[in-house]
Amino acid sequence: TALTLLIFYFFILIQAAWSLKTRALTEMVYVDEIDMDEEGIAEMVLDENAIAQVARPGTSLKLPGTSQGGGPSPAVRPVTQSGRPITGFVRPSTQSGRPSTMEQAIKTPRTALTARPITSASGRYVRLGTASMLTNPDGPFINLSRLNLAKYAQKPKLAKALFEYIFHHENDVKNVSNSCVPFSVFVKYHSALDLAALATEHAQFKDWWWKVQIGKCYYRLGLYREAEKQFKSALKQQDMVDTILYLAKVYLRLDQPVTALNVFKQGLDRFPGEVTLICGIARIYEEMNNISSAAEYYKEVLKQDNTHVEAIACIGSNHFYSDQPEIALRFYRRLLQMGVYNCQLFNNLGLCCFYAQQYDMTLSSFERALFLAENQEETADVWYNLGHVAVGIGDLNLAYQCFRLTLVNNNDYAEAYNNLAVLEMRKGHVEQARALLQTASSLAPHMYEPHFNFAILSEKVGDLQRSYTAAQKSEEAFPGHVDTQQLIKQLKQHFAML
Amino acid sequence: MVQSNQDSDISLLNINQGITCLASGVLNPQLGYDCLLVGTQTNLLAYDVYNNSDLFYREVSDGANAIVLGKLGDISSPLAIIGGNCALQGFDYEGNDLFWTVTGDNVRSLALCDFDGDGKTELLVGSEDFDIRVFKEDEILAEMSETETITALSPMYGSRFGYALANGTVGVYDKTARYWRIKSKNHAMSIHAFDLNSDGVCELITGWSNGKVDARSDRTGEVIFKDNFASSIAGVVEGDYRMDGSTQLICCSVDGEVRGYLPGGEELKGNLMDTSAEQDLIRELSQKKQNLLLELRNYEENAKAELNAQLKEADGQRGVIPANTQLQTALSVNLGSDSQSAHVELCISTTNDTIIRAVLIFAEGIFEGESHVVHPSLQNLSGCVRVPLTPPKDVPVDLHIKAFVGYRNSTQFHVFELTRQLPRFSMYALSSPDSATEPLSFVNCTTNERPQRIIMWLNQSFLLPEDAEFQSAPFQVCFTSLRNAGQLCIKIKPGGEISINTDDIDLAGDIIQSMASFLAIEDLQVEADFPAYFEELRKVLVKVDEHHAVNQRLTADMAEHSNLIRSVLVQAEDARLLGDMKHMKTRYIELYDLNRDLINQYKIRCNNHTELLNNLKAVNQAIQRAGRLRVGKPKTQVISACRDAIRSNNFNVLFRIMRVGTASS
């Protein structure tokens, strides 16, 4: 009996060590996946998860152009590719838009910054938060295919550690070519799901944690309705901020922002003042183009947590675009005080200083930004803004050089092409201006400026037909633009006379 | 609802599943506006169209074949009641199921109607076993047997409601009594109650499969309005579609033709048919006149015959028969022979030398097409006609018999009309008690009734060669089923204990229900055991569990596959845009293989799902059967206790409940 006892203890020791190592490996690659989420091209173009195909304005994330909250117009606040005003804080979903065709969707990632993964499963999950591409000289720590999941599911403590390991660490596979990635990724989700299903059965469906995990697996597999069921069931057993956030994410995928807002608001009843929930509400309002409500909720966030970078940045940019650069400057300085020290911040500071007429600080801020730039895209941004400043002070030569430098650093910079074209036009180089504008409009069809400029240019040289088509495109991108409307009216009169 | 796009009048909703039923109405009283309810084979979605948000999304494993929205009985909040495979479920706006019960077969139609006139609505359920059941919350108030699947039900006013059957019958019930019905060779696609002639009483509007729409008076079934569409009617609804404050009747055809009808004005006085209606009336009256003239001529002929009484042999030809001629009918059980299976035999005979030329029997649910004509050939004419009957269900049936009686060479015959009731359990033949083959299954119950009354019930419900008499306390009577030769024993022991031995749980339930209604027993608790049936049920329950597990796996597999397909498709497109044809080809080949796999998997999943559905149906039926063994309160208790047991996956408790009626011993 002494021997059996010894063996028994030995096993317990081994289990403890095993569990510890699993957890350590997981910790190494763990990333909070609530924020780390992006819809892939495939999901976006091929899936129809939304119920309403044409929802009422203000109840859907699909129609960003229909603002209800009275945000600034695109003439004041530039828009992203999706037609949404740019935000003060870059998150995975704030950058890229919803292209209408597959071709457009595939082509867009080629313009560096707006990259979208092919599917959400092969996207950031592989790049972030996984032990991706790391080969272990001794082979994998756990060989998943040999694992008897049913056995582990019986042991709650081991099962949880194992699940997290499979979910986070084994997310990706080693030594496989890129095209095979999705295959193996799904297999891993599958085993994670199997394990979770077995474990929750073992816990007689009473353990909310397992339900959340099953929901997470379903979510990654794209089974949103099943995920919703699991999260709801988990919430019934145990109120958890995490679960609420996941549930809201499901509703956002189903394109039901109002339901997601309700989920958050109900969550706030149970967890009053919870920053992540308020922040979630603000983000949804922002995505729905309801800037004033978004700003209100961001302020609410700051009341609870006055070091919340996202809230400060968003409020700052909102002030900047609503013509209050001095106030925006205060928010950006606050960020600086908190230790945020990067290119983008100095860029913003420079712009704020310029518009607040503190010229002495402007150029030094941009200089600092140039020092801190980590890659060419950031450098391009700084040069572009410098060009803007140069236009502002009337030094067109400097402006010309700045925009050229922007294009040297990033030759996809549609805004720079547009501005350059305007400068060329002033010089009277019509052909060059036209070429630049065409480049700009093909790079960024969502921007109205190149279209409008092109329309004006064509009208001047007497090419009314082209002018009309370009004006129509411009109106499509920004329906409320008065100048475009006037131009179209004028052109129609011309045509009528003919 | 505000239209999202001014250019189009239609906004599309995307459900991603086959839709089986639709309803709209106020589900959440606080919300104050309508929501849309969408039922599919596996789910129910309550959707707020205005805000593009879900109220709830529930999995309903029994499917949703029919849906109705409204208040039920004493439940305070409005419910979305769905009828699935043998199950009824009611959800409030939060998706809580406040109402659950089982019914005999797949539900095809639902309606809410104040059936008993107490100011609260009851639920009418039409199902595939041809029954209309009325539920007062959990409790069954009434059951009406029809002759086909009930495809539509529509409350009219008060306790009156319209119904439509799959065989083209449309009619109106008031409580359990049928007011009228008509049968057409077309199918009724949709029925609706609407006051078209402004007389304050709703008419039954029927849309037919041949494109006809007619409005029939609720009292007589007389057509008061009709219209024709070019194609089959898809649906009939009412609503203020033009937003001018008046409700219209709106009919839509499958081709998409929509017509709206305003109720007729006061000056029409309920007369919607134009001049043609008057012509119809004249035609009808002249036909009546014709008939009367014919009848008169017959009488005159007879009178003439009486005058020439001496011409005896000519009598028969003219159809004169002795005044004391009577038609006798007898029902008996025929155990069958090699050429003929066992059946109930209806023997119709005359009391003298007259013969029966033809017999016309009208009875619901026994014959195909409801009526049966026996027309013996000239050589085989006799004074006695035997008609085999095989009622498929154990329900009492009225046989309306019309017989042509006369002489062999008569040209005119007398018609005898009589009605005979077929007892409920006519398909059971009395047999001698034999303990060896006595069924193991039993139902035991105790009543305070006198045994004589029970014997009375026995005589009324079974076809016994002679009426049974009650002598002393242990009384036993045995039957053999003509359908499957199953045994049935009914024993009455001293102390009022009755035991029914049969392996057929349905039969036992029928007997208990029939006895309880005859003896006017309100509550009856029984002890029952059906070892063979319970064993089968246990197997089914195990299978249901397996199917659920397999289903989860298959769903995950499907999602995995479809994700793969998506990424391969994007990669292929990518290759195409880059002009990399070689890669594109490999990707598309991959895609082709994956697609084939996916289709195969889908087939597997479909099979799994149908099996699961069948098994779930069997479970629901078992609960329903266990309920039918009891009467009144114990019945509802058993049903709800069984559901709890199934929810908690506790099979042993389930069987205990089915045996003794309660969870605790």
Side-chain angles (χ1 to χ4, degrees), chain B residues 648-663:
Chain B
S648 56
N649 234 8
N650 198 337
F651 296 164
N652 290 331
V653 170
L654 178 72
F655 288 116
R656 171 197 283 289
I657 294 164
M658 287 188 171
R659 277 194 197 104
V660 257
T662 49

Side-chain angles (χ1 to χ4, degrees), chain A residues 385-398:
Chain A
N385 285 331
L386 270 171
H388 213 74
V389 172
V391 171
I393 57 176
D395 189 346
L396 294 187
N397 256 335
L398 178 63

Side-chain angles (χ1 to χ4, degrees), chain B residues 483-498:
Chain B
R483 294 195 187 98
N484 52 14
Q487 297 288 317
L488 165 71
C489 284
I490 299 171
K491 291 177 207 156
I492 303 168
K493 288 177 193 152
E497 194 184 322
I498 305 168

Side-chain angles (χ1 to χ4, degrees), chain B residues 109-149:
Chain B
S109 51
L110 291 171
L112 288 167
C113 168
D114 183 10
F115 186 79
D116 56 2
D118 60 353
K120 291 168 198 152
T121 49
E122 280 78 42
L123 181 66
L124 305 174
V125 180
S127 53
E128 280 178 10
D129 60 355
F130 311 170
D131 274 353
I132 302 175
R133 295 186 177 81
V134 185
F135 284 88
K136 191 179 176 68
E137 291 188 29
D138 294 349
E139 182 191 337
I140 291 192
L141 268 191
E143 263 180 271
M144 282 85 78
S145 269
E146 270 300 331
T147 54
E148 249 294 353
T149 304

Side-chain angles (χ1 to χ4, degrees), chain A residues 42 46-48 50-56 59-60 102-103 106 110 118-119 179 182-183 186 190 193-194 197 218 220-221 223 225-226 228-229 251 255-256 258-259, chain B residues 2 4-5 11-16 45 47 50-54 56-57 59 552-553 555-557 559-560 563-564 566-567 569-571 573-574 576-578 587 590:
Chain A
L46 301 175
D47 275 11
E48 270 298 344
I51 291 179
Q53 304 203 318
V54 193
R56 195 171 63 90
T59 58
S60 162
M102 173 92 109
E103 200 165 315
I106 295 173
R110 312 229 176 274
I118 291 176
T119 64
S179 69
F183 280 91
F186 287 121
H190 211 161
L193 181 61
D194 284 348
Y218 276 138
R220 282 207 190 174
L221 283 169
L223 299 168
R225 287 300 188 182
E226 281 81 358
E228 177 198 1
K229 193 178 137 200
Y251 284 124
D255 192 25
Q256 299 195 351
V258 179
T259 322
Chain B
V2 180
S4 46
N5 191 345
S11 42
L12 294 173
L13 301 182
N14 170 40
I15 304 296
N16 280 342
L45 168 72
Y47 178 69
Y50 185 70
N51 276 333
N52 178 27
S53 94
D54 287 357
F56 64 82
Y57 182 84
E59 194 178 335
Q552 191 186 20
R553 264 200 92 88
T555 312
D557 277 343
E560 181 187 315
N563 272 339
L564 266 181
R566 279 188 295 224
S567 70
L569 186 64
V570 172
Q571 282 172 0
E573 276 295 287
D574 201 4
R576 185 180 68 83
L577 287 179
L578 288 175
R587 290 279 173 262
E590 244 173 71

Side-chain angles (χ1 to χ4, degrees), chain B residues 102-219:
Chain B
V102 285
T103 178
D105 205 333
N106 294 351
V107 177
R108 287 294 298 276
S109 51
L110 291 171
L112 288 167
C113 168
D114 183 10
F115 186 79
D116 56 2
D118 60 353
K120 291 168 198 152
T121 49
E122 280 78 42
L123 181 66
L124 305 174
V125 180
S127 53
E128 280 178 10
D129 60 355
F130 311 170
D131 274 353
I132 302 175
R133 295 186 177 81
V134 185
F135 284 88
K136 191 179 176 68
E137 291 188 29
D138 294 349
E139 182 191 337
I140 291 192
L141 268 191
E143 263 180 271
M144 282 85 78
S145 269
E146 270 300 331
T147 54
E148 249 294 353
T149 304
I150 292 96
T151 53
L153 287 167
S154 163
M156 303 208 30
Y157 62 90
S159 55
R160 211 168 280 193
F161 62 92
Y163 73 97
L165 304 183
N167 62 1
T169 307
V170 173
V172 166
Y173 267 100
D174 188 15
K175 295 194 179 162
T176 53
R178 191 162 55 207
Y179 256 53
W180 56 266
R181 62 168 183 165
I182 54 116
K183 199 175 164 187
S184 157
K185 62 177 190 296
N186 301 305
H187 299 292
M189 306 307 282
S190 173
I191 57 171
H192 191 80
F194 186 75
D195 184 12
L196 200 61
N197 58 3
S198 307
D199 62 352
V201 180
C202 283
E203 282 83 45
L204 187 69
I205 319 289
T206 317
W208 297 92
S209 58
N210 63 346
K212 212 168 69 180
V213 175
D214 57 23
R216 287 170 189 275
S217 149
D218 65 310
R219 278 145 297 188

